[in-house]
């Protein structure tokens, strides 16, 4: 509660400036007394003026920015297993591929993810932003989504900053154990594709079956391409026979088991001579299966309409095994705290997949492709941070230092192709076989320090001057080797009809039948090195110069140097020079908050920020995304995006944990990065370019209200009923004027007319017009139960610009996420003096499918499959 002493004339001045019925002032009442002439001559004073915002939650009161906060209670209510799923409940946020968050319709490239304030690297080839499905909700104390920019955050900001906060050591010791079981209607108990792999696959760790064979690893290290020119026939035979055969190549069908998980958590605090020592630890294991049956098509114009020229029926079965461990130590006193937080996450995906159907490149003949894949994504981060208060809290110093490393290992990523003989039987097309080994390592070394000094302006008002510096160095190394068996003298009919493990048995791997060779990457760019160094400093002032009006003004300077260097694995020169982007930016920001009435406030914000191209978008190296089976290739001619952000939001906190907010926003993007489909020969690839300009604008609304009905029956009156809803409407426009040009990979960096690739007035890629969430539920303290119905809706969005140029350009690729309906029920109970917790989670009850398409005359199903409904139950024991 803030208190302010002023003259009566000052109060009148303030009230005349703050015309509102519920002014947040209160005058202490005193009994009237007889005043002497001397007392009458003295200026009248008001003993207390109080800002009444008693219902404004602490995070919203402390933050001067437009922000949303997910608390541990929110995470428990929705039951979401990871940070990505939980964030879809926040106003204006939607999830893409189950991993990446779009804020206000802007793709993941325009947002940044932090862990306890430190940046994170990404194990994804196509993204520099870390996928948020890597973070189980059990390790999180909360999540902050800041939608207006402040200079103490990195300058790469368009949609928002997502700061994940890990749990701290508890005041009271605890230990919990959680067991869970689950299933999916498309997967569990059904006959689905599988391949054996290794004996220990269920743990998420391979038993070295997928290790690169010694002879091939030595050949990779020599820098010589594996072929007949560099190695003898005997050496090639030994290399080919060293590759694991049946366990990693033979597709089979088995019944898919149920999902399962185990989680352990514990912590305590202990007073010591140096302060309070806190310990926290969380460990989890999760094993889940998801099968898919769907369709993938490619279309081409016939007249004015699109018609499918390739149609593949797709079957896949994916086994995801996640391991995570969080360990933290803290030492704290009244004025000082030091924390050491370590997080390890390992997410392994084992997938068997088959696609079959008429293929345009095969003259309309039936082609089948079988895939076996094993992807290991790992994240390790260690952060040491401190908070120190001096001079009775007037001076605060925060610092942090962190090392984070991610990796993606994809050994034995295999494809085997089949055609059809005259009798309709599938036979081997040996030219279509491929075995790939790829590795990606990405690390960040970062550090920063912030100093804040508080200067009182009165008994109630103050100004906080802040300054800070930060630095991070992000390095990435990506390598991919593609191997293929060539039929030296062609295959016999018997060999073409044989089973896959028979064809590639040691008997057939010899100089006259099947011989191993290495395929060079496109343009020789089979590997690349990338680096991003950013050094930054900022100053900021947060002050309440006049009563009830809080302003935050600051500026950040960033010096960023980004480079991507394609490498030829065989020592040759690539046709592309290293890409280097060396830019310096001054990024100002302003936010004003007017607490004009009791528990009501208005926020205004303006800022300038940037967006940098991601490493993969700059690397001219072909990469096949297993999620979409689409080939991606970068564009080394991309440049940074500069963004102007304007925001306004009204907030009314009318009761504890209950509120109404409404806001509007506008963004102007200079040279935003857009994905485009390009034709390379008979192959379609997805690349990137800078559109000339784009704007996005919209409005947000959110309400949270509890209801109680004390005079009803026991079932109703014992509960507190929740209604929480949010809705975001937004629109966008990409502007392409006469004379605007773009730089593309196909154009070798020469300017090309922008309207060849992008239609003026089209919607910004990734932006949905409507995003809505609804939660209906109850909390029953008597029965110790909680239930929530959760509805999420996201309207269609563009995923890539259509192929072709000018008048012959195809329609854009569009995804329609649709409506998702979930139900979560939780109940606590006691058995033999032991507290237990039961949870039931039902997901996608409407059976919404994944649907990506093109449409003109006909609907071309680019990528369409059923997601199925999911259910899980869990039991938690608290010790």
């Amino acid at each position: 509660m803030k208190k302010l002493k002023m003259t009566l004339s000052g109060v009148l001045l303030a009230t005349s400036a703050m015309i509102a019925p519920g002014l947040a002032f209160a005058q202490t009442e005193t009994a009237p007394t007889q005043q002497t002439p001397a007392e009458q001559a003295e200026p009248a004073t008001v003993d207390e003026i109080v800002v009444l915002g008693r219902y404004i939650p602490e995070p919203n009161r402390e933050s001067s920015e437009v922000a949303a906060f997910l608390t541990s209670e929110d995470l428990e209510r929705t039951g979401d297993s990871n940070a990505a799923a939980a964030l879809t409940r926040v106003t204006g946020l939607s999830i893409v591929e189950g991993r990446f968050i779009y804020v206000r319709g802007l793709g993941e490239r325009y947002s940044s993810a932090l862990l306890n304030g430190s940046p994170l690297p990404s194990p994804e080839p196509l993204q520099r932003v870390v996928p948020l499905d890597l973070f189980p909700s059990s390790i999180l104390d909360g999540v902050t989504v800041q939608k207006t920019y402040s200079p103490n955050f990195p300058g790469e900001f368009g949609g928002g900053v997502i700061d994940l906060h890990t749990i701290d050591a508890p005041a009271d010791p605890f230990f919990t154990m959680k067991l869970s079981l689950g299933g999916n209607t498309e997967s569990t108990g059904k006959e689905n594709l599988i391949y054996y792999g290794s004996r220990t696959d269920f743990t998420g760790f391979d038993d070295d079956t997928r290790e690169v064979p010694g002879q091939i690893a030595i050949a990779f290290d020599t820098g010589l391409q594996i072929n007949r020119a560099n190695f003898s026939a005997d050496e090639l035979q030994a290399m080919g026979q060293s590759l694991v055969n049946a366990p990693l190549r033979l597709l089979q069908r088995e019944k898919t088991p149920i999902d399962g998980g185990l989680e352990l958590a514990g912590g305590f605090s202990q007073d010591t001579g140096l302060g309070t020592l806190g310990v926290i630890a969380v460990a989890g294991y999760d094993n889940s299966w998801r099968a898919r049956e769907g369709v993938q098509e490619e279309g081409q114009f016939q007249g004015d309409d699109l018609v499918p020229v390739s149609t593949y029926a797709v079957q896949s079965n994916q086994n995801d095994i996640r391991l995570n461990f969080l360990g933290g130590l803290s030492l704290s006193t009244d004025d000082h705290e030091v924390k050491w937080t370590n997080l390890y996450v390992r997410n392994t995906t084992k997938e068997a997949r088959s696609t079959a159907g008429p293929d345009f490149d095969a003259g309309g003949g039936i082609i089948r492709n079988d895939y076996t894949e094993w992807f290991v994504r790992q994240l390790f981060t260690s952060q040491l941070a401190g908070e120190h208060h001096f001079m009775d809290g007037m001076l605060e110093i925060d610092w942090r230092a962190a090392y984070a490393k991610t990796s993606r290992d994809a050994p034995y990523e295999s494809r085997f192709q089949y055609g059809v003989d005259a009798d309709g039987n599938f036979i081997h097309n040996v030219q279509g076989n491929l075995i790939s080994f790829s590795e990606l390592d990405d690390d960040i070394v970062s550090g920063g320090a912030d100093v804040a000094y508080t200067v009182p302006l009165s008994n109630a008002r103050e100004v906080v001057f802040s300054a800070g510096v930060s630095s991070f160095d992000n390095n990435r190394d990506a390598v991919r080797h593609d191997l293929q068996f060539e039929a030296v003298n062609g295959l016999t009919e018997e060999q073409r009809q044989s089973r896959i493990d028979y064809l590639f048995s040691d008997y057939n791997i010899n100089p006259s039948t099947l011989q191993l060779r290495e395929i060079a990457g496109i343009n020789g760019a089979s590997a690349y090195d990338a680096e991003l160094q950013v050094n930054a400093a900022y100053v900021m002032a947060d002050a309440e110069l006049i009563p009830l009006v809080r302003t935050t003004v600051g500026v950040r300077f960033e010096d960023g140097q980004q480079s991507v260097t394609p490498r030829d694995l065989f020592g040759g020169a690539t046709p592309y020079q290293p890409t280097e982007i060396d830019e310096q930016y001054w990024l100002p920001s302003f936010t004003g908050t007017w607490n004009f009435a009791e528990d009501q406030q208005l926020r205004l914000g303006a800022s300038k920020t940037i967006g940098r191209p991601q490493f993969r978008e700059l690397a001219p190296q072909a990469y096949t995304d297993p999620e979409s089976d689409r080939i991606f290739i970068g564009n080394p001619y991309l440049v940074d995006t500069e963004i102007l952000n304007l925001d306004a939001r009204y907030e009314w906190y009318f009761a504890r944990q209950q509120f109404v907010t409404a806001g509007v926003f506008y963004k102007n993007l200079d040279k935003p990065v857009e994905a485009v489909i390009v034709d390379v020969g008979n192959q379609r690839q997805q690349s990137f370019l800078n559109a000339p300009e784009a704007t996005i604008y919209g409005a947000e609304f959110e309400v949270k209200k509890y209801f109680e009905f004390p005079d009803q029956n026991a079932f109703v009156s014992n509960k507190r009923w929740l209604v929480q809803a949010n809705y975001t409407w937004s629109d966008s426009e990409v502007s392409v004027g006469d004379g605007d040009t773009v730089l593309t990979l196909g154009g070798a960096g020469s300017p090309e007319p922008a309207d060849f690739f992008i239609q003026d007035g089209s919607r910004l890629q990734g932006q949905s017009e409507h995003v809505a969430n609804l939660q209906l539920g109850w909390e029953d303290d008597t029965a110790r139960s909680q239930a929530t119905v959760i509805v999420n809706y996201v309207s269609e969005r563009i995923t890539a610009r259509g192929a072709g140029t000018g008048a012959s350009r195809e329609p854009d690729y569009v995804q329609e996420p649709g409506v998702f309906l979930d139900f979560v029920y939780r109940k606590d109970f006691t058995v033999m003096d032991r507290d237990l917790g039961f949870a039931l989670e039902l997901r996608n009850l409407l059976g919404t499918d994944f649907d990506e398409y093109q449409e003109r005359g006909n609907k071309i199903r680019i990528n369409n499959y059923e997601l199925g409904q999911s259910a899980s139950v869990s039991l938690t024991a608290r010790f």
Side-chain angles (χ1 to χ4, degrees):
M1 212 53 96
K2 290 186 177 181
K3 299 181 181 180
L4 175 63
K5 183 177 288 186
M6 298 179 62
T7 64
L8 181 61
S9 60
V11 174
L12 295 175
L13 178 61
T15 54
S16 66
M18 312 287 181
I19 302 174
L23 280 178
F25 293 92
Q27 179 175 340
T28 301
E29 297 183 3
T30 58
T33 59
Q34 186 70 33
Q35 293 181 313
T36 66
E39 291 173 332
Q40 293 175 357
E42 294 178 358
T45 62
V46 177
D47 292 333
E48 289 184 333
I49 294 179
V50 183
V51 178
L52 296 178
R54 61 189 181 279
Y55 295 132
I56 300 177
E58 195 65 28
N60 299 80
R61 188 196 302 273
E62 291 181 354
S63 173
S64 62
E65 308 299 329
V66 174
F69 302 90
L70 279 180
T71 65
S72 56
E73 290 79 10
D74 296 326
L75 296 172
E76 183 177 0
R77 168 178 288 281
T78 58
D80 296 305
S81 61
N82 59 67
L87 284 166
T88 60
R89 318 302 178 191
V90 176
T91 307
L93 271 63
S94 58
I95 189 170
V96 177
E97 297 181 9
R99 295 176 289 174
F100 301 104
I101 292 295
Y102 279 32
V103 183
R104 291 175 167 176
L106 290 170
E108 75 281 351
R109 68 166 55 87
Y110 297 114
S111 300
S112 58
L114 307 173
L115 185 68
N116 298 326
S118 293
L120 293 168
S122 174
E124 296 297 325
L126 293 174
Q127 282 86 13
R128 194 172 69 243
V129 179
V130 65
L132 296 178
D133 66 323
L134 284 177
F135 301 93
S137 56
S138 59
I139 70 166
L140 298 176
D141 183 55
V143 183
T144 299
V145 181
Q146 187 168 303
K147 298 181 182 179
T148 56
Y149 178 68
S150 57
N152 55 313
F153 280 119
E156 284 193 75
F157 178 100
V161 173
I162 299 167
D163 196 1
L164 308 171
H165 308 287
T166 55
I167 58 178
D168 288 330
D172 299 318
F174 81 98
F175 177 75
T176 63
M177 181 173 65
K178 177 181 176 181
L179 294 170
S180 61
L181 297 174
N184 177 272
T185 56
E186 293 296 309
S187 310
T188 310
K190 293 188 175 182
E191 295 278 347
N192 289 304
L193 291 175
I194 195 172
Y195 72 96
Y196 178 75
S198 79
R199 295 170 299 172
T200 58
D201 283 0
F202 71 95
T203 67
F205 291 86
D206 177 81
D207 65 359
D208 294 337
T209 295
R210 296 180 179 87
E211 283 291 315
V212 180
Q215 300 96 318
I216 295 178
I218 292 172
F220 288 165
D221 290 340
T222 65
L224 298 175
Q225 187 172 358
I226 298 175
N227 55 32
R228 284 177 281 186
N230 295 317
F231 295 92
S232 68
D234 289 342
E235 289 174 322
L236 294 176
Q237 179 174 332
M239 292 180 200
Q241 292 179 351
S242 69
L243 291 167
V244 177
N245 187 17
L248 302 183
R249 293 174 181 164
L250 183 62
L251 290 185
Q252 301 170 286
R253 287 189 179 273
E254 286 186 5
K255 281 190 177 181
T256 300
I258 62 173
D259 302 340
L262 171 66
E263 183 179 281
L264 304 173
F268 66 90
S269 294
Q270 178 68 48
D271 289 334
T272 70
L274 297 176
T276 301
L277 174 67
V279 178
I280 186 73
V282 179
Y285 166 83
D286 184 75
N287 192 326
S288 62
W289 297 79
R290 289 298 176 266
R292 297 176 182 173
E293 288 196 15
V295 176
Q296 292 178 352
E297 292 184 329
E298 283 189 8
Q300 287 191 356
F301 277 120
Q302 288 187 7
D304 294 330
D305 294 338
L306 280 176
V307 297
V309 295
S310 296
T311 301
Y312 280 92
V314 180
Q315 298 180 63
S316 77
N317 193 19
Q318 179 175 309
N319 182 203
D320 289 301
I321 304 104
R322 185 178 66 197
L323 299 167
N324 61 270
F325 175 77
L326 171 76
L329 295 174
S330 62
L331 184 64
S332 60
T333 64
D334 291 341
D335 295 321
H336 306 278
E337 182 176 31
V338 176
K339 294 181 182 179
W340 184 30
T341 305
N342 297 276
L343 173 65
Y344 171 75
V345 180
R346 179 185 175 96
N347 197 330
T348 302
T349 297
K350 177 183 180 181
E351 183 173 8
R353 182 160 44 102
S354 182
T355 67
D359 185 273
F360 176 75
D361 293 337
I366 302 296
I367 293 293
R368 189 181 105 195
N369 291 294
D370 290 349
Y371 302 85
T372 60
E373 296 161 327
W374 174 266
F375 304 106
V376 180
R377 295 182 295 157
Q378 292 188 112
L379 164 67
F380 170 74
T381 178
S382 182
Q383 183 197 57
L384 190 63
E387 297 181 12
H388 309 278
H389 299 268
F390 305 93
M391 302 170 60
D392 294 328
M394 295 179 62
L395 176 64
E396 180 179 346
I397 299 176
D398 298 339
W399 57 270
R400 62 204 171 275
Y403 171 76
K405 179 180 177 62
T406 58
S407 64
R408 179 185 183 272
D409 188 18
Y412 278 97
E413 191 178 348
S414 302
R415 182 193 71 193
F416 298 96
Q417 193 174 88
Y418 301 82
V420 174
D421 63 14
D423 297 325
N425 300 313
F426 284 110
I427 57 175
H428 290 287
N429 176 13
V430 74
Q431 290 82 9
N433 78 84
L434 190 68
I435 302 171
S436 301
F437 295 86
S438 63
E439 293 183 3
L440 183 151
D441 292 302
D442 199 329
D443 64 61
I444 289 181
V445 178
S446 65
D450 304 279
V451 178
Y453 183 71
T454 302
V455 178
L457 299 178
S458 69
N459 290 338
R461 295 177 292 118
E462 61 191 26
V463 57
V464 180
F465 295 100
S466 303
V469 294
S470 65
S471 177
F472 77 84
D473 187 359
N474 183 191
N475 290 274
R476 172 177 286 194
D477 176 65
V479 176
R480 180 184 177 93
H481 293 272
D482 292 323
L483 304 175
Q484 185 182 71
F485 284 100
E486 60 176 330
V488 181
N489 297 308
L491 297 180
T492 66
E493 197 64 23
E494 181 181 358
Q495 290 169 335
R496 288 168 63 86
Q497 294 176 359
S498 64
R499 212 169 72 175
I500 184 73
D501 53 332
Y502 293 167
L503 175 63
F504 291 97
S505 65
D506 288 352
Y507 175 79
N508 287 326
I509 298 176
N510 56 63
S512 60
T513 308
L514 294 174
Q515 193 168 64
L516 192 68
R517 65 176 180 176
E518 186 171 3
I519 303 171
I522 293 179
N523 296 324
S526 298
Y528 67 91
D529 298 324
E531 183 178 14
L532 173 62
Q533 288 184 327
V534 178
N535 297 310
Y538 76 91
V539 292
M540 184 168 62
D542 185 349
E544 190 176 341
L545 297 177
I546 60 175
L548 311 180
V549 178
R550 178 183 179 185
T551 58
T552 304
V553 181
V555 64
R556 183 181 184 90
F557 174 76
E558 280 200 356
D559 181 5
Q561 297 177 340
Q562 184 173 7
S563 66
V564 174
T565 305
R567 287 192 290 116
D568 188 333
L569 293 175
F570 316 122
T574 68
Y576 298 105
Q577 296 298 315
T579 299
E580 294 185 2
I581 302 175
D582 188 352
E583 297 284 358
Q584 293 78 40
Y585 297 99
W586 291 95
L587 305 175
S589 76
F590 165 83
T591 305
T593 302
W594 180 22
N595 187 192
F596 64 88
E598 182 177 2
D599 295 311
Q600 298 181 60
Q601 54 191 21
L602 178 67
R603 299 184 190 269
L604 301 174
S607 62
K608 177 185 175 183
T609 56
I610 59 170
R612 294 184 175 94
Q614 302 182 60
F615 291 146
R616 195 62 194 81
E617 295 170 346
L618 290 166
Q621 174 189 353
Y623 164 75
T624 301
D625 177 29
E627 189 76 21
S628 62
D629 282 331
R630 197 173 300 158
I631 298 174
F632 290 77
I633 190 165
N635 176 6
Y637 308 108
L638 297 179
V639 298
D640 292 347
T641 303
E642 298 186 37
I643 308 169
L644 172 67
N645 310 277
L646 302 175
D647 285 87
R649 185 163 83 162
Y650 162 77
E651 301 172 357
W652 178 27
Y653 300 92
F654 53 84
R656 183 175 178 270
Q657 296 181 330
Q658 302 176 69
F659 56 84
V660 172
T661 68
V664 294
F665 58 89
Y666 171 86
K667 297 178 184 292
N668 178 269
L669 293 85
D670 182 38
K671 294 183 173 55
V673 176
E674 294 266 276
V676 294
I677 302 298
V678 294
D679 289 321
V680 181
N682 290 330
Q683 188 181 77
R684 290 204 159 173
Q685 299 179 355
Q686 183 166 319
S687 190
F688 308 90
L689 55 77
N690 288 106
E693 185 182 28
T695 57
I696 180 171
Y697 48 90
E700 297 177 331
F701 174 81
E702 183 172 16
V703 60
K704 183 178 181 180
K705 171 66 178 173
Y706 285 103
F707 297 90
E708 296 185 26
F709 306 97
D711 299 328
Q712 305 298 316
N713 61 59
F715 177 81
V716 175
S717 61
N718 288 340
K719 296 176 174 58
R720 189 166 70 146
W721 299 82
L722 167 70
V723 176
Q724 183 171 357
N726 62 66
Y727 169 71
T728 301
W729 172 86
S730 60
D731 200 0
S732 60
E733 182 176 322
V734 179
S735 301
V736 180
D738 293 339
D740 283 338
T741 60
V742 296
L743 306 178
T744 67
L745 179 68
S750 297
E752 299 175 87
D755 58 8
F756 275 17
F757 301 90
I758 304 171
Q759 181 179 350
D760 181 46
S762 60
R763 182 175 293 171
L764 190 68
Q765 180 196 330
Q767 186 261 326
S768 295
E769 186 175 5
H770 307 285
V771 178
N773 291 282
L774 174 65
Q775 294 184 39
L776 304 172
W778 80 68
E779 296 174 354
D780 189 332
D781 292 336
T782 303
R784 301 167 66 188
S785 65
Q786 182 186 81
T788 312
V789 175
I790 306 166
V791 183
N792 172 254
Y793 169 70
V794 179
S795 64
E796 65 180 26
R797 57 188 169 217
I798 296 170
T799 56
R801 301 296 178 190
T805 59
S808 62
R809 183 173 53 245
E810 294 179 1
D812 295 334
Y813 286 17
V814 174
Q815 183 199 352
E816 192 164 355
V819 180
F820 285 83
L821 174 63
D822 301 336
F823 175 74
V824 178
Y825 174 76
R826 300 182 180 280
K827 180 175 176 59
D828 290 342
F829 55 96
T830 302
V831 176
M832 300 177 64
D833 296 327
R834 180 71 63 203
D835 285 336
L836 301 176
F838 170 80
L840 169 68
E841 300 176 16
L842 305 176
R843 304 291 182 182
N844 195 22
L845 293 174
L846 299 179
T848 301
D849 299 339
F850 183 92
D851 190 15
E852 184 183 21
Y853 61 89
Q854 284 178 293
E855 193 165 19
R856 182 172 296 174
N858 297 294
K859 182 177 180 178
I860 308 300
R861 296 167 295 177
I862 303 298
N863 199 9
N864 181 283
Y865 55 87
E866 297 180 359
L867 296 171
Q869 294 96 354
S870 300
S872 67
V873 295
S874 65
L875 185 65
T876 302
R878 304 178 180 95
F879 300 91

